[in-house]
Amino acid sequence: GYTRLSDPVGHRRFVFHAHGAPWVIRDVVEGSQIHEVEASWHFAPDLLVTSAKGGFRATVDPSTNHHTPGTAPGLNLSWASRSALNGFIESGYVSPSYGARKTAPVVRLRIQNKLPVEFATVLIPSETRANSESDFRLLSKESDSVQAYSYSSGDVTDLFYFSLAGKPWTFNSWESDATFLYCRQSKGRVVHLVLVNGSSVNHGSKSLIHHSHSIERFEWLKKGDASVTYCSHHTPVEHA
């Protein structure tokens, strides 16, 4: 829709969520000139949206529910970008039915920068206030061949790797040829892996996943003393 501009702009959005993990939405905006880029998050009319450490928090308005203040179910929203990104709350509208309109809060994330730019938004549902130790950040540098994000809360870290070149990549202690890789570490131990469009994952000197051909999707999950594996490929996949 933005290719009609004098400087044609392309927008791509990547969405990832695994059970028990945060929702991560990565927006990539491609072009060659300076543009104002804005993402809008529209919330329901009965939610209270407030500023929080590192972003915003949406909760059920305590004046309309019976939850003890500070314990209502909520959604924490944070973002990470290499460019300077501003986040703010506005009053907007939603339409629950034809011909009806209700006032509702909107969170807007805005960048004015020379394209290409990208930013990622993390959504974390929670029953209580956001963990004060939580942190969402971009790890990679502009020269890296992979975009790496991390979300840390307590002793759990979620890592998200998006390949930029479509070829094998290395970042810190990780090596893979996947177009996307997700890893959850608990107390420093890998407990969850998701690979998309790739054949191998190495961590340090250890091979975690290996297959002779690229796999559309592979998932390994630690459950207590057992592990569960899902694979889109019909032949066995070697994994540690």
Side-chain angles (χ1 to χ4, degrees):
Y2 307 111
T3 55
R4 71 187 187 281
L5 301 176
S6 57
D7 174 45
V9 174
H11 172 230
R12 292 181 294 147
R13 170 166 281 187
F14 304 80
V15 180
F16 174 78
H17 172 67
H19 182 69
W23 289 81
V24 169
I25 299 91
R26 174 178 174 245
D27 288 291
V28 179
V29 185
E30 297 168 323
S32 60
Q33 298 179 12
I34 295 176
H35 288 266
E36 184 176 86
V37 178
E38 185 178 274
S40 300
W41 294 92
H42 298 263
F43 291 88
D46 59 346
L47 293 183
L48 179 66
V49 180
T50 57
S51 296
K53 183 179 179 180
F56 299 96
R57 176 168 171 78
T59 56
V60 176
D61 191 331
S63 64
T64 62
N65 73 91
H66 302 291
H67 290 281
T68 302
T71 63
L75 181 74
N76 301 306
L77 184 154
S78 299
W79 62 86
S81 175
R82 188 170 292 110
S83 307
L85 187 151
N86 296 315
F88 52 94
I89 305 169
E90 286 188 344
S91 179
Y93 299 95
V94 296
S95 177
S97 60
Y98 182 77
R101 188 172 74 165
K102 290 187 176 182
T103 302
V106 181
V107 167
R108 300 197 192 278
L109 306 179
R110 184 176 294 163
I111 294 176
Q112 185 164 351
N113 206 79
K114 188 176 185 297
L115 302 187
V117 298
E118 82 160 69
F119 55 93
T121 309
V122 63
L123 306 175
I124 311 101
S126 65
E127 294 295 327
T128 56
R129 292 191 182 277
N131 188 325
S132 60
E133 299 299 321
S134 64
D135 179 63
F136 181 57
R137 65 176 60 193
L138 174 66
L139 301 177
S140 49
K141 300 185 294 292
E142 192 170 359
S143 58
D144 291 323
S145 60
V146 64
Q147 288 289 83
Y149 294 89
S150 74
Y151 174 75
S152 299
S153 180
D155 56 10
V156 176
T157 299
D158 297 284
L159 299 169
F160 310 87
Y161 298 99
F162 298 87
S163 173
L164 301 179
K167 60 183 180 181
W169 51 265
T170 300
F171 186 83
N172 292 341
S173 59
W174 292 88
E175 296 180 31
S176 181
D177 61 349
T179 57
F180 173 75
L181 176 67
Y182 163 73
C183 171
R184 166 166 281 200
Q185 294 176 306
S186 177
K187 298 180 180 179
R189 296 175 62 88
V190 177
V191 295
H192 196 175
L193 279 173
V194 175
L195 171 148
V196 176
N197 294 328
S199 62
S200 65
V201 177
N202 298 323
H203 185 217
S205 59
K206 188 175 183 180
S207 174
L208 302 183
I209 299 173
H210 177 74
H211 194 268
S212 58
H213 303 289
S214 181
I215 309 164
E216 182 179 350
R217 182 175 180 272
F218 178 88
E219 181 174 7
W220 174 86
L221 176 64
K222 184 74 172 175
K223 286 189 174 181
D225 296 330
S227 60
V228 181
T229 301
Y230 306 91
C231 185
S232 61
H233 205 277
H234 62 277
T235 59
V237 178
E238 296 179 17
H239 59 91

